[in-house]
Amino acid sequence: MRIPRHFAPVVLLGVLALAGCEGGTETDDSAPATPPTATPTASATPTASPTATATATPDPVMPALHGRTYEQARAELTRQDISAARLTATAQHKDVTLPGDHDGWYICDAGPGRGTRLAADATVTVRLAKDFSDCTTSFHGYLHQKNDPAYVPPTTAAPKPKPKPTATRAPAPAPTKAPTKPAGGSMTTCSDGKQGYACTSNGHPVVDGQFCPKADRGRTLMATNRTMVTCSYDPSITPYRWQ
């Protein structure tokens, strides 16, 4: 179709307007892109490491010291990490003085008791005797009865005067000597008030199997069970016993 020349500019403007509507709005690719905003992350809170708890060392236990010498007791305490400086000693009897060198003396009693926990400030007290057999001898706390203030010696009755023979009477025949009985064969009363068939040098009845004093070692006497026993040493039994 031929368009008259005088309508050409109008047609051109209409075509351009239509082209603008169809293209829409263009985006400028030359503009710099907006960088994405970084989201702040929460910082990790450091976790405290657990503190190691120190384990308390238990208190040592009191060992068995009865029957041992003072030197053996000191070595046993040292072996169980108990300071020997905590050990104190005293005599078992009131009438005995503990010498400076008492390592060979025997322990009759010890405190606190066996198995007791020993605190840091606790002390160990032992009571000593020179002979272990003396541990069982006590006269109100005294080793020798004569040293006991409560002891009263028995009174000895004065002998009766012998009658004078008269001229008319013949002198009485000399009494025949009774046969000697075995040692301890007759009933007797020991100084401690107990009845037995013989008395030890400490004044106790002789009992078969019991400890015997040092002064009686080698003596043979009749025990309360009517058997003859000797104060002798047996390597399996310490110290000396009536056997």
Side-chain angles (χ1 to χ4, degrees), residues 70-91:
Y70 183 80
E71 184 178 14
Q72 292 172 341
R74 187 170 51 195
E76 178 64 19
L77 293 180
T78 303
R79 188 181 69 83
Q80 299 196 24
D81 295 331
I82 303 173
S83 175
R86 300 166 66 175
L87 183 62
T88 58
T90 184

Side-chain angles (χ1 to χ4, degrees), residues 197-211:
Y197 290 91
C199 297
T200 67
S201 60
N202 289 340
H204 297 286
V206 175
V207 180
D208 188 9
Q210 284 194 352
F211 297 121

Side-chain angles (χ1 to χ4, degrees), residues 3-230:
I3 299 173
R5 182 177 292 180
H6 61 276
F7 288 116
V10 178
V11 175
L12 179 61
L13 290 175
V15 172
L16 293 176
L18 291 173
C21 293
E22 292 177 359
T25 305
E26 295 181 359
T27 302
D28 188 1
D29 294 336
S30 64
T34 303
T37 304
T39 303
T41 58
S43 60
T45 303
T47 304
S49 60
T51 304
T53 303
T55 304
T57 303
D59 294 331
V61 177
M62 175 70 176
L65 302 179
H66 179 74
R68 301 189 181 188
T69 64
Y70 183 80
E71 184 178 14
Q72 292 172 341
R74 187 170 51 195
E76 178 64 19
L77 293 180
T78 303
R79 188 181 69 83
Q80 299 196 24
D81 295 331
I82 303 173
S83 175
R86 300 166 66 175
L87 183 62
T88 58
T90 184
Q92 171 74 358
H93 302 93
K94 301 176 183 178
D95 54 343
V96 175
T97 301
L98 193 66
D101 182 12
H102 48 265
D103 287 349
W105 285 43
Y106 292 92
I107 296 177
C108 301
D109 190 18
R114 176 184 179 184
T116 304
R117 291 284 183 182
L118 297 176
D121 57 347
T123 58
V124 177
T125 303
V126 293
R127 302 177 69 86
L128 307 177
K130 186 175 182 180
D131 291 316
F132 187 67
S133 60
D134 292 341
C135 291
T136 58
T137 302
S138 178
F139 298 95
H140 298 93
Y142 294 87
L143 178 61
H144 303 286
Q145 188 179 32
K146 63 181 180 180
N147 297 330
D148 180 10
Y151 172 66
V152 178
T155 56
T156 303
K160 295 181 180 181
K162 296 180 179 180
K164 296 180 179 180
T166 60
T168 59
R169 294 179 57 184
T176 58
K177 187 176 180 181
T180 303
K181 295 183 179 181
S186 59
M187 181 68 71
T188 184
T189 301
C190 299
S191 58
D192 61 356
K194 299 179 182 179
Q195 289 188 344
Y197 290 91
C199 297
T200 67
S201 60
N202 289 340
H204 297 286
V206 175
V207 180
D208 188 9
Q210 284 194 352
F211 297 121
C212 56
K214 185 177 180 180
D216 289 336
R217 294 176 184 177
R219 294 183 63 191
T220 300
L221 301 173
M222 178 174 287
T224 55
N225 61 356
R226 290 187 171 274
T227 59
M228 301 302 294
V229 291
T230 303

